[in-house]
Amino acid sequence: MSGTKPSIQYRTTDGLASIMARANTHDKDINKSSYQILIIDDNINLLYSTQALVEANGYRCIIADGGEAGLNVLNRMAIDIVLLDLSMPEIDGYAVLKHIHDQKIDTDVIVVSGESTFDNAATVFKSGALDFLSKPYKSSQLLSTIDNVAYKRGLKINLKATQNQLEESEQRYRFIVSYSPDIIYMIDHRGFFTFINDRVTDLLGYKPDELVGEHFSTLVHEDDLMIAEHIFNERRTGDRSSHNVEFRLKSTDPEVLSKPFESSSIVIELCSMGVYENKADGTPYLGTYGVARDISDRKKDQEMIHFQAYHDLLTRLPNRELFLDRLNLSINQAERKKAMLAVLFLDMDGFKFINDSLGHVIGDSLLQRVALRLQETLRDTDTISRIGGDEFSILIPELQNREEAGLVSQKILDAFSKPIILDNHEITISFSIGISMFPDDASCTEELIKNSDMAMYHIKGRGKNGFEYFSDHMQSIYQYRHTIEQDIRKALDNDQFEAYYQPQYNINTQEITGLEALIRWNHPDKGLITPDHFIPVAEEIGLICEIGRYMLDTGCKQLKSWIDQGIEPLKLSINVSAFQLAESNFDVVICDLTKKYKLPPHLLMVEITETSLMQDMEQVIPRLKNLVKCNIGICIDDFGVGYSSLSYLQILPIDILKVDRSFLSCITENHEKACIIKAIVAMARELELDVIVEGVETQQQLNYIKNIGCSIVQGFLLGRPLPESEVRKLLK
Ligand code: C2E
Ligand code: CA
Ligand code: CA
């Protein structure tokens, strides 16, 4: 194909080529095929020939053979240009023009008319026509007129589109600025607001109008003025132009005195921002614009995080970090003022037991109440800190003498003499308090705390509920205890514990009636250790239950082994700690053991001290009753030194009362105290309970016991606790 178009014949005055050439005035600017032209004329011949001409020239074209047909088209479709004959029957060109005007039809009209008088033309233009062509005309005239009108129309359309775009983008910009979550502002070179968006009203309460013309300092918090001035005055450009600075802005709301804002300010230059042009003083710098973001929430979060980092969340007391910080400061001050200060280490007595038996929820509430009571008792200048589970450190700054620290400690102990009532539980707590003084006992924070801790351990070992000043000799005791703690863990793993057995005799028949299992520790370095040296520590560090289970299992296994060897069956007593009693499955564990070793359960006896029984009677009694159901015996150990109320003797299914040996020591000197044993024996007889007197060391004591009618006795005089191999010989 050569690419030549099929030729079309037109009935026109000029040849097609020349018409095209002449009509090319604005060819490069007009996309002719996008224009829809409508020719309205009652002369049919002219109508067709003009259509052919216009189409040949690249326009789209339709025709209407009169006014009415023309109006129909105009009402129906979009027409860019109308070639309109004026004189037509019925609806003439004027009527069509009026219709276009009245209906606001967007089209450009070229009037074609035989009557080309000036009046005529003027009327036509007034009616809204864009051009006028008098008949007869040359084809080239017609085409250049159409091109002209099309070109103008094109310009008009482009302009409109550009305007629309501008309007849209301005609307977008306004929307963004008005609805911005940040404050957007402009400040002139003297520091006065030239613009600020509506956001300022929500955030600070001012109307933008109130602020425009005001100096920025009216908004900035007094303390932050220096920073703000520096930011707004320093003419930063390039890399330094965008910069985040934090300062506070004033609010009209008295509740929110000032809000912290992070302002990113950018310096602007005249050349880039025409609006700010001011050549009068020759400086291009005209002001600052920027965005200020409300970061109050972030600040609050930061404060919260800071609080959490330095406080115990349960009690809201300062934590160890903050305590160390305050202690450091106080040491410096005390040094300067040549004053003393005290660090108190408080450990709650028996908290672990409360927590285990009453549950963690009550344990937590108790700690909160304790924290409150401590705060009420002490001065605001003292720092109370919770540094561990039930451990508190207290800093008492600026003391005149050592005795003052003791007075404060006593005040704390007194404050806790009243019980704390939680969830219907009346909980009486006490503290062991260790005191260490600056500068006498130590000069640095860590050492002061360590020494107070040591002093606390010392008072704990000596009966709790009291305070003790640090002294140098505690160092070795502390270290001993610390090593023991680690050694106990190893001992359990390495099987270093062993059961010894002490016989109980019926002094009337001289027969062994039972045995008490007593734990011994074969320490690899320290040799044989008796329980007084490690049981309290094991209770403190939570290993007593494991040790207790070991003793129960060993005892039961041993008893079974003796029976299997044909040794006459004896009662075996095993000591049980308060912590074991607090375990919910305590009864089940023991009953299961008798089944495991196929033991007659009545041979087994658990020894419980009065005090451990009283810790949480409501929970413990049902478990003990279960033991009795299993036929296992219960013996109250150390009877007479623990609890003052004896009513439990009626509630509990007890078999034996074991009189504490402290009552015996007085038999030689003080007969009045010895009478207590007599009274206990009488009472036991009334209640139909058996009595064992333990700790009998002398013949005198034995005689006394015999005289008051008590028959079962345990003591060094008759037999010491022995290892299994030796007790076996005794039994045979
Ligand atoms: P306890 O239950 O009151 O045991 C009697 C203690 O008195 C034993 O001390 C025993 O050796 C000692 N004793 C017996 N006769 C005499 C005497 O005539 N004179 C003197 N001075 N003492 C005598 P031990 O074995 O050192 O036990 C001390 C405490 O350790 C026990 O007191 C008991 O509370 C506890 N304990 C011993 N074994 C266990 C155990 O397996 N579990 C638990 N939880 N505690 C145990
Ligand atoms: Ca005992
Ligand atoms: Ca005892």
Side-chain angles (χ1 to χ4, degrees), residues 623-640:
R623 287 175 205 147
L624 293 180
K625 285 189 172 161
N626 282 342
L627 288 185
V628 174
K629 263 190 220 154
C630 286
N631 228 352
I632 292 163
I634 293 167
C635 165
I636 299 297
D637 205 353
D638 302 347
F639 183 80

Side-chain angles (χ1 to χ4, degrees), residues 516 575 607 609 636-639 658-661 694:
E516 179 181 6
N575 292 285
E607 287 198 11
T609 63
I636 299 297
D637 205 353
D638 302 347
F639 183 80
K658 207 180 216 190
V659 183
D660 192 71
R661 71 164 178 270
E694 74 172 334

Side-chain angles (χ1 to χ4, degrees), residues 60 326 426 430 549 567 650:
R60 284 180 289 132
R326 299 231 179 121
E426 201 174 281
S430 62
R549 272 194 297 277
I567 292 168
Q650 281 177 312

Side-chain angles (χ1 to χ4, degrees), residues 502 516 519-520 531-532 551 575 637-638 661 695 697 716 721:
Q502 187 177 28
E516 179 181 6
I519 193 167
R520 295 291 178 268
D532 289 335
M551 282 299 283
N575 292 285
D637 205 353
D638 302 347
R661 71 164 178 270
E697 292 178 346
F716 291 170

Side-chain angles (χ1 to χ4, degrees), residues 339-481:
M340 286 180 153
L341 67 81
V343 171
L344 270 48
F345 198 108
L346 277 70
D347 188 283
M348 216 191 286
D349 299 327
F351 176 73
K352 196 178 166 348
F353 183 81
I354 296 169
N355 212 28
D356 288 352
S357 55
L358 297 184
H360 293 278
V361 177
I362 293 204
D364 283 354
S365 308
L366 180 65
L367 287 169
Q368 286 170 335
R369 295 282 288 276
V370 165
L372 273 180
R373 200 172 279 189
L374 284 172
Q375 279 170 317
E376 286 161 11
T377 310
L378 295 166
R379 281 193 232 139
D380 286 347
T381 45
D382 304 332
T383 298
I384 310 162
S385 149
R386 178 170 173 239
I387 54 169
D390 59 346
E391 293 172 341
F392 298 84
S393 267
I394 295 173
L395 160 66
I396 307 165
E398 295 196 29
L399 295 179
Q400 297 310 315
N401 53 56
R402 291 176 70 86
E403 288 65 40
E404 280 178 308
L407 291 176
V408 174
S409 302
Q410 191 54 54
K411 205 169 138 194
I412 294 172
L413 295 175
D414 293 345
F416 284 94
S417 60
K418 272 182 279 148
I420 291 175
I421 299 177
L422 268 180
D423 231 24
N424 294 329
H425 297 275
E426 201 174 281
I427 305 172
T428 305
I429 58 157
S430 62
F431 277 106
S432 299
I433 306 176
I435 306 170
S436 116
M437 305 287 304
F438 170 90
D440 293 2
D441 302 329
S443 56
C444 71
T445 52
E446 291 298 340
E447 193 107 341
L448 275 166
I449 294 173
K450 202 179 99 198
N451 291 351
S452 65
D453 189 9
M454 255 184 253
M456 183 281 291
Y457 263 110
H458 206 252
I459 182 73
K460 198 141 245 184
R462 289 185 15 187
K464 309 176 178 177
N465 194 20
F467 65 88
E468 180 96 47
Y469 286 93
F470 170 79
S471 70
D472 288 335
H473 82 276
M474 287 178 186
Q475 190 85 28
S476 50
I477 298 170
Y478 179 82
Q479 269 161 3
Y480 173 76
R481 213 188 147 89

Side-chain angles (χ1 to χ4, degrees), residues 13 23 47-48 96 102 182 203 311 347 379 383 416 422 433 488 510 521 558 599 659 668 672:
T13 38
L47 209 50
Y48 283 121
V96 174
D102 292 348
D182 301 330
L203 291 179
H311 290 82
D347 188 283
R379 281 193 232 139
T383 298
F416 284 94
L422 268 180
I433 306 176
I488 290 178
Q510 307 284 322
W521 180 3
Q558 194 54 65
L599 279 180
V659 183
T668 46
E672 232 180 283

